[in-house]
Amino acid sequence: MFKKLVSVLFLLLLCTPAYSYTETGVTHTSFVYASQDYVMRDSVIDMTGIEKFWDPRYPSYSLSDRQGVYACKGAKVDIENGTLYTPLSGRVGGSVKGLIALNGAALNLKSYDIKMVDLNPARTTLYLYGMQVWGPSSADISKANIYMDTAETAIAIAAFNSGDVKVSDSKIVISGDAEYGHGAAMDSGSSINMQNVSIDILAGDAKGVILKKENKASLSGVDINIRLTDRAFRYQSASGIDTANGSTLELKDSKVAIEGDKLAALTISNTTDMNMTGSEITSEGSFAKGILIYNRGDYYPEEKKYDKQKISQNIDKSDITVRGTSGIGIEVSKSRNVSISDSDITVIGSRGRGISVAGERIIDDNFNIKGITGTSAAKISGGSITVSDDHSSSGSNYYHSAAVYAMNGGVVSLDRTKINISGDAYAFRADRNGEIHISNMSVTEEDLPKGNLVFTINNGRFSAANSILHGKIENYANDTPLGALDVTLSDNTYWKGYAMYSSENEIGKVNINLDDTSRWDVTKNSNTNGLLANDGLINFGEKAEDGFKTVSVGSYNGGADSALIMKTDINAKEKNDK
């Protein structure tokens, strides 16, 4: 009978639901283990003593598996008003977590400060995590401050294996010449929702938000500021937001800024679905980029499994500003579905490009270009592209600045977009089978102070529909393989300008095609060395003050309704009188 009673009591204990524990105003000097529902208010966790067990006789000892709060077994842990403090001063390395949630735990943090400081800059191999969330666990963070100072690795928030993280009205700061400093790092299907969060990082390899694999991020009102230390030269991979492997990014009403050479504020894999609206992107440094959308699969084969035809990157009502030599506002490499609407792109500095779209070149073992495969495409509607280049590009035509640049089979389509140019920059440049197609646009001498309209160094395509164009169209033809610049004017397009090729070996060509609604007013002697197919109207000048001009072509094809307008002077009297 007694044994039966004991058995019954034991079963009752097993079936009893976990109780909820509440504490207020407690200071902990060791970690808090929460396997049941737990409430902490106005409490302090002081992790000063986690290094006291280190013994120099045991050099293999590390700080691994040290944490301030350990939430597990489905526990709901609410922490409000307090501080977690981790001052480290010893020599031993390892991994230290402020808070960790796993086994389905739900961690709620409100009005809380996490301070993790490494007081020994000579320490090696130290990883500091403000918080780790392992799926299916979750974390809800509001009105919190995460401050990390180390010369090693600092990650404010990390999530793995479908962990779910929400952060609002909070601040993340990483400093101390960190080698790696990451604000939020998501991996393996994890998701993050951020609202009104500021992230300020000073590190060598600094990243605001990382989406590593099939992650979802919704960022609204986020302010990310990335600055680099002297260690940056070792990596050149810092970024405000970095995505990969089939992730999804929603960026709304946010600001992302980065300072450093050869870096992009946003580094977006072409396997990432991205929607950005109402945001400001700023990048400063030589060869800097505002947004880089690229084929990461060249370096990570696992990205090749995603169907890029169904993936798109959309930018709406946003401002992208880049300052520095050879800067690019938006660079697209082998991404097929990029859409930019009602957004302003500004590039300030020599050899800059507003938007650059490139496909893929096939190069043989001797570095000869054999062909082009794949397509990159960007559609731009509304907004503006401004390139300010007040430095002469004489003798460096390969590096001519351009508001819009297409190369290696890249295709750019623009509709109702304003082009603003200063200095020697061109409005449009197409190289190596690059294509640029514009419609419903006006690009005049007010927008082009040097009159540089379209440029190539070998072969490209440019078309304009229902547009007004002023300026020079040129095939410089100093690159191989030499080819033609094909220009098509249609749907009531008006062009006032001249065309030329600059090849010393006379192989480069400019082929011009006017439909029966379009017109070309010739402003200077033109030499195209190509085909002039005229179904519209070519005007050489109607009066003496228009001057005497010639158009030299390889061949001419005039349509049934074509017309040539010129002021004739049979006796050459007016010309001689001049």
Side-chain angles (χ1 to χ4, degrees):
M1 181 69 182
F2 178 75
K3 290 183 177 180
K4 289 184 179 180
L5 180 60
V6 171
S7 298
V8 170
L9 289 174
F10 181 71
L11 289 173
L12 287 174
L13 287 173
L14 287 178
C15 296
T16 301
Y19 63 89
S20 179
Y21 180 79
T22 301
E23 66 173 39
T24 303
V26 176
T27 297
H28 294 270
T29 56
S30 62
F31 80 95
V32 175
Y33 178 80
S35 60
Q36 305 168 69
D37 290 357
Y38 199 107
V39 178
M40 295 175 58
R41 293 192 178 96
D42 305 314
S43 298
V44 174
I45 300 175
D46 186 347
M47 299 179 66
T48 303
I50 65 173
E51 292 181 302
K52 67 181 180 180
F53 300 109
W54 183 76
D55 189 327
R57 294 175 298 175
Y58 304 101
S60 61
Y61 173 84
S62 75
L63 292 174
S64 296
D65 299 323
R66 297 295 192 272
Q67 55 273 318
V69 175
Y70 187 95
C72 61
K73 297 183 179 180
K76 180 181 179 182
V77 181
D78 295 335
I79 304 175
E80 184 175 356
N81 296 326
T83 301
L84 184 149
Y85 181 48
T86 307
L88 304 174
S89 58
R91 292 177 292 170
V92 66
S95 174
V96 179
K97 301 98 175 173
L99 304 96
I100 185 169
L102 65 165
N103 304 130
L107 187 58
N108 300 313
L109 201 68
K110 183 177 181 180
S111 301
Y112 202 77
D113 291 338
I114 300 174
K115 298 179 180 179
M116 307 186 76
V117 180
D118 180 11
L119 303 175
N120 182 5
R123 187 200 308 266
T124 60
T125 320
L126 176 66
Y127 299 87
L128 297 182
Y129 293 89
M131 176 182 295
Q132 280 189 358
V133 180
W134 294 80
S137 298
S138 64
D140 193 336
I141 307 166
S142 64
K143 299 179 180 178
N145 297 306
I146 302 176
Y147 175 76
M148 311 181 81
D149 188 327
T150 180
E152 288 297 305
T153 297
I155 302 175
I157 301 171
F160 310 89
N161 300 339
S162 301
D164 182 35
V165 179
K166 296 179 181 178
V167 190
S168 62
D169 305 310
S170 297
K171 186 175 183 179
I172 296 171
V173 177
I174 298 175
S175 61
D177 196 24
E179 187 167 12
Y180 296 89
H182 301 160
M186 302 291 108
D187 200 354
S188 304
S190 298
S191 62
I192 187 166
N193 183 305
M194 282 187 166
Q195 294 186 5
N196 303 320
V197 176
S198 68
I199 301 175
D200 195 324
I201 301 177
L202 175 65
D205 181 40
K207 291 182 172 68
V209 176
I210 306 174
L211 308 179
K212 293 184 178 181
K213 185 177 181 181
E214 298 175 359
N215 307 116
K216 293 182 179 180
S218 177
L219 313 181
S220 178
V222 173
D223 190 342
I224 300 174
N225 186 24
I226 302 296
R227 293 166 298 133
L228 304 183
T229 67
D230 293 339
R231 293 181 171 192
F233 75 93
R234 294 175 56 184
Y235 306 102
Q236 295 182 340
S237 61
S239 184
I241 300 176
D242 189 306
T243 73
N245 289 309
S247 294
T248 300
L249 172 64
E250 299 283 341
L251 185 64
K252 180 180 180 182
D253 301 330
S254 296
K255 296 180 180 180
V256 182
I258 191 169
E259 296 179 17
D261 296 341
K262 299 180 180 180
L263 301 175
L266 270 60
T267 304
I268 308 298
S269 164
N270 62 1
T271 64
T272 299
D273 257 319
M274 180 183 77
N275 288 293
M276 184 178 88
T277 182
S279 296
E280 297 179 17
I281 308 299
T282 305
S283 186
E284 186 167 348
S286 298
F287 298 93
K289 300 176 179 65
I291 302 175
L292 171 62
I293 303 172
Y294 75 116
N295 183 32
R296 196 169 179 267
D298 287 345
Y299 310 98
Y300 299 91
E302 64 269 21
E303 291 233 340
K304 296 181 179 180
K305 70 178 183 179
Y306 300 102
D307 187 355
K308 299 179 183 64
Q309 296 283 6
K310 299 179 180 179
I311 296 172
S312 63
Q313 296 84 35
N314 304 303
I315 302 168
D316 180 49
K317 297 181 179 64
S318 295
D319 295 335
I320 297 96
T321 302
V322 176
R323 296 180 179 88
T325 302
S326 301
I328 299 175
I330 300 176
E331 179 174 321
V332 180
S333 176
K334 290 183 281 186
S335 187
R336 298 175 181 270
N337 300 305
V338 178
S339 175
I340 306 166
S341 58
D342 299 324
S343 297
D344 296 329
I345 304 170
T346 302
V347 178
I348 302 170
S350 62
R351 301 177 178 178
R353 293 162 186 171
I355 180 167
S356 177
V357 179
E360 179 181 12
R361 284 186 293 171
I362 301 174
I363 303 177
D364 64 19
D365 294 337
N366 296 318
F367 297 97
N368 297 314
I369 302 171
K370 298 177 62 177
I372 294 172
T373 182
T375 301
S376 288
K379 295 182 179 180
I380 305 172
S381 61
S384 66
I385 302 175
T386 302
V387 174
S388 177
D389 181 358
D390 295 325
H391 300 79
S392 175
S393 297
S394 176
S396 302
N397 292 285
Y398 184 85
Y399 296 104
H400 263 316
S401 300
V404 181
Y405 183 41
M407 67 179 296
N408 297 340
V411 180
V412 186
S413 302
L414 301 98
D415 180 45
R416 300 174 294 104
T417 301
K418 180 67 174 175
I419 302 294
N420 303 296
I421 296 293
S422 71
D424 293 330
Y426 277 76
F428 310 103
R429 176 173 173 176
D431 292 335
R432 302 189 186 99
N433 291 332
E435 299 183 21
I436 299 174
H437 307 287
I438 72 171
S439 59
N440 306 306
M441 290 177 58
S442 175
V443 185
T444 67
E445 57 262 269
E446 295 180 358
D447 312 306
L448 304 174
K450 297 293 183 69
N452 295 330
L453 183 63
V454 182
F455 177 79
T456 188
I457 57 173
N458 44 48
N459 49 313
R461 295 178 179 86
F462 173 81
S463 71
N466 192 33
S467 296
I468 298 173
L469 305 174
H470 293 177
K472 173 179 64 175
I473 295 177
E474 178 182 8
N475 185 349
Y476 190 76
N478 72 333
D479 195 20
T480 56
L482 299 177
L485 173 60
D486 296 325
V487 178
T488 301
L489 310 179
S490 64
D491 194 13
N492 294 298
T493 290
Y494 169 69
W495 170 36
K496 178 182 177 182
Y498 66 103
M500 60 181 292
Y501 80 100
S502 305
S503 174
E504 297 179 357
N505 51 24
E506 299 187 359
I507 297 180
K509 299 177 180 179
V510 179
N511 297 321
I512 302 174
N513 189 322
L514 283 76
D515 78 351
D516 57 2
T517 66
S518 297
R519 170 172 171 162
W520 173 18
D521 281 1
V522 183
T523 58
K524 289 185 179 181
N525 291 338
S526 296
N527 188 356
T528 70
N529 196 37
L531 171 65
L532 175 57
N534 177 29
D535 284 323
L537 186 151
I538 300 176
N539 179 19
F540 288 80
E542 303 178 35
K543 47 189 180 299
E545 50 265 33
D546 289 336
F548 180 78
K549 297 176 289 291
T550 63
V551 175
S552 301
V553 299
S555 58
Y556 177 78
N557 183 5
D561 297 321
S562 64
L564 301 174
I565 298 178
M566 58 187 69
K567 173 71 168 66
T568 59
D569 184 10
I570 297 175
N571 296 321
K573 182 177 180 180
E574 290 182 356
K575 184 177 180 181
N576 291 333
D577 289 345
K578 296 295 180 182

